Amino acid sequence: MKLAVVTHSSSIDDEHEIIERMFRHGLKNLHVRKPKYSKKKMRKYLEGFSIENRDKIIIHSHHSLALSMRLKGIHLTEKHRESGLNVFKKFYLFRMMRPKLHISSSYHKLSEVKAGGRRYDYVFFGPVFESISKEDHKPSYNLASMYDVFHNNPKIKAYALSGVTEDKIGTCYETRFTGVALSGYLWESDDPVKNFDIAKETCDQYKAS
């Protein structure tokens, strides 16, 4: 199972130090989700990471920074996709400028991920379990329905999002998810790095889909 980490939406104490430790412990996909950050603040935030680790960072906003700062990729949210033609212009323009740029997206409906998920390097799908950090954020589908979609559409590389903890990683694997995306499990804990290490060790026990 592959593993991605999604940042807390707000700034937290010692954030860069915590994430740099995760990088040293094997983190390969950091999704930076800071919806209230201006482009200037986002650039400053990204500059806080060592240059050698910036090629492990995927940003959810101010996508042009992925090109100028040589980041790993960009993530298109549901709102981005709903903007229509402009987002697809961006998709193909960025692909032309950086052929190896990773592009991911988020889905919340099985019908939509089934229709559009193949075009991305991978997608986030959720909520899979009840959210740790968001009240009343519960799954709309059962695991059997998710299994049917991902088992029958192996070209869709989906990461389970929301409510994922180390004891649920095996279930995600059996449901045919390619990986898991961790957020609340890390940032709502007293020791995010310890929880990351536990989750990574668990993921490493399962062969990637």
Side-chain angles (χ1 to χ4, degrees):
M1 290 285 282
K2 296 183 179 180
L3 186 154
V5 168
V6 183
T7 64
H8 196 289
S9 59
S10 303
S11 300
I12 63 173
D13 293 340
D14 303 318
E15 185 168 353
H16 286 85
E17 179 184 345
I18 291 169
I19 293 173
E20 286 283 0
R21 287 176 61 197
M22 292 181 188
F23 283 137
R24 292 195 294 272
H25 292 194
L27 174 61
K28 295 180 180 178
N29 295 293
L30 175 70
H31 279 253
V32 176
R33 180 183 173 274
K34 302 287 185 182
K36 295 183 180 180
Y37 276 21
S38 65
K39 186 175 182 178
K40 181 179 180 180
K41 189 171 182 179
M42 178 65 79
R43 178 183 289 277
K44 185 176 180 180
Y45 175 86
L46 294 169
E47 287 173 345
F49 294 107
S50 57
I51 293 175
E52 60 265 31
N53 283 327
R54 292 182 194 170
D55 65 353
K56 301 168 187 171
I57 295 175
I58 299 98
I59 51 176
H60 288 216
S61 57
H62 308 299
H63 293 140
S64 62
L65 291 174
L67 300 178
S68 61
M69 299 186 73
R70 305 297 296 179
L71 305 178
K72 182 170 186 174
I74 63 173
H75 185 86
L76 304 176
T77 65
E78 191 171 40
K79 288 184 178 180
H80 286 134
R81 293 200 316 277
E82 288 173 351
S83 68
L85 184 61
N86 287 336
V87 74
F88 288 104
K89 285 182 178 178
K90 177 185 289 188
F91 184 105
Y92 291 111
L93 177 62
F94 278 36
R95 282 289 198 204
M96 288 176 60
M97 297 176 73
R98 286 267 308 279
K100 294 185 179 180
L101 186 78
H102 282 240
I103 302 180
S104 58
S105 191
S106 300
Y107 286 90
H108 305 289
K109 295 180 180 179
L110 284 175
S111 59
E112 292 180 356
V113 73
K114 185 177 179 179
R118 294 176 184 82
R119 66 167 55 97
Y120 300 99
D121 290 282
Y122 58 80
V123 299
F124 288 169
F125 182 81
V128 176
F129 306 104
E130 186 170 352
S131 175
I132 297 170
S133 56
K134 298 178 181 178
E135 292 184 8
D136 299 323
H137 196 60
K138 299 179 180 180
S140 300
Y141 304 93
N142 60 39
L143 294 172
S145 298
M146 298 179 207
Y147 173 89
D148 286 343
V149 170
F150 300 128
H151 176 71
N152 292 316
N153 296 274
K155 291 185 177 180
I156 299 174
K157 306 303 181 184
Y159 283 46
L161 180 69
S162 186
V164 179
T165 56
E166 82 278 2
D167 59 312
K168 294 184 174 70
I169 290 173
T171 299
C172 294
Y173 176 78
E174 296 297 334
T175 310
R176 294 297 188 267
F177 282 99
T178 298
V180 296
L182 305 179
S183 183
Y185 171 66
L186 303 178
W187 307 117
E188 299 296 323
S189 74
D190 294 329
D191 192 340
V193 178
K194 179 180 179 181
N195 277 15
F196 170 81
D197 289 341
I198 293 170
K200 184 177 184 304
E201 182 178 359
T202 305
C203 284
D204 288 346
Q205 295 173 10
Y206 295 93
K207 182 179 178 181
S209 300

